[in-house]
Amino acid sequence: MMNSKSLVHIENVSKFYGDLKALDNVSLDIHEGETVVIIGPSGSGKSTLLRSINKLETIDAGKVIIDGVDIYDEATDINKVREEVGMVFQSFNVFPHKTVMENLNLAQTVVRKRTAEEATGISKKLLEKVGIFEKADEYPGKLSGGQQQRVAIARALAMTPKIMLFDEPTSALDPEMIGEVLDVMTKLAKEGMTMVVVTHEMGFAREVADRIIFMDHGAVVEQGTPDEFFDHTENDRAKLFLSQIL
Ligand code: ADP
Ligand code: MG
């Protein structure tokens, strides 16, 4: 599902680490309701691009506009913007000394200023949605990797973000747990969440993405629908990548 409103506008963004060009003049729009999957070889700049959407990186050129707000403008309150952008990493960044419910409630009460009762109501719905309602009072250490990652997703969703960013959310999981996390992400995408997903899960990319972005050496070198990309790309670097992973 997608309409034409651009929620993320990335324009001519470049970023260097010393002499290394991690992002090379990247331009990209993510529309409301769209699921964009970013793929590419290791070191191609996928994480750097994702992190620049949340201003977790500085950039050397270009701009990033989130829902109309120029996030690299010094006058912008980046914390306000980050409230609208949920992020899920490879390593499940949940708080180990808080229960699952406390993990979900924390930012809701502190940042969103919801009452404990309101927050708990929202958290329960989200735990149900990600299939771990019965784990509400457990500590994350008692959960499997797949369950912890679903807590991380639910916690991000608890902020009711406008956009969700996922950086290889299943890469640290045992194979038998990958499916349960991808299922949650698939459900979210179908519900119309705006999502940017870096992943090596090509089945997910093919099934769920509205658009595939292929990066190499810091640049977007190819993009298209899954069908265009997986079955009809003429780009040599994309073909090489696909021949190595499929
Ligand atoms: P990907 O996520 O596609 O594997 P990254 O965005 O992590 O790629 O990295 C892009 C390039 O930038 C790589 O060459 C990587 O080694 C380099 N890089 C990433 N982070 C840093 C950093 N903090 N310092 C120096 N180089 C970095
Ligand atoms: Mg990465």
Side-chain angles (χ1 to χ4, degrees), residues 42-43 45-48 90 167-168 198 200:
S42 178
K46 305 180 299 296
S47 294
T48 306
Q90 180 173 333
D167 194 356
E168 298 198 28
V198 174
H200 297 292

